[in-house]
Amino acid sequence: MLIIYGMEQCPHCRRCKGEFDAKGIEYQFIDISRLENLKAFLKLRDTDPAFDGIRGTEQVGIPALLLEDGTLRRDWQAYLDENGGAVQADAAEDVPEGQACSLDGTGC
């Protein structure tokens, strides 16, 4: 099953979940605000090439998708375009492609 790593407090994560729900795409949401979930996510983030562009920055990298084949993706909007239909127009305007929350609270 598709996994979405994120945080309930993150507006980008809420938008991502809302779009997946609207398209009827099943997923498991893993909230990284829980310590055990954060540890698993950080292990993925610190080793997977999908996060190469954010290592060393203050970006967290959520929402992040873990596909059934083990591929990690940060571009949830492109994933929806490819698999479930286009993102709703207002969602596309509110959430820039690949944008993720930062540790300092910017980018959310």
Side-chain angles (χ1 to χ4, degrees), residues 1-5 44 64-68 70-73:
M1 172 177 285
L2 171 74
I3 294 173
I4 300 174
Y5 286 96
L44 291 171
L65 310 179
L66 179 60
L67 308 182
E68 290 184 30
T71 304
L72 273 164
R73 292 186 66 168

Side-chain angles (χ1 to χ4, degrees), residues 9-40:
Q9 307 92 309
C10 171
H12 299 285
C13 299
R14 287 194 307 265
R15 176 66 81 178
C16 175
K17 287 175 52 179
E19 290 288 326
F20 276 69
D21 290 343
K23 307 284 188 281
I25 297 174
E26 292 186 29
Y27 61 90
Q28 176 185 3
F29 184 77
I30 307 233
D31 190 338
I32 66 167
S33 66
R34 297 182 51 136
L35 185 57
E36 65 273 12
N37 295 340
L38 177 60
K39 287 180 181 180

Side-chain angles (χ1 to χ4, degrees), residues 48-61:
D48 195 279
F51 295 94
D52 284 349
I54 65 165
R55 282 193 205 100
T57 71
E58 293 183 350
Q59 291 184 345
V60 177

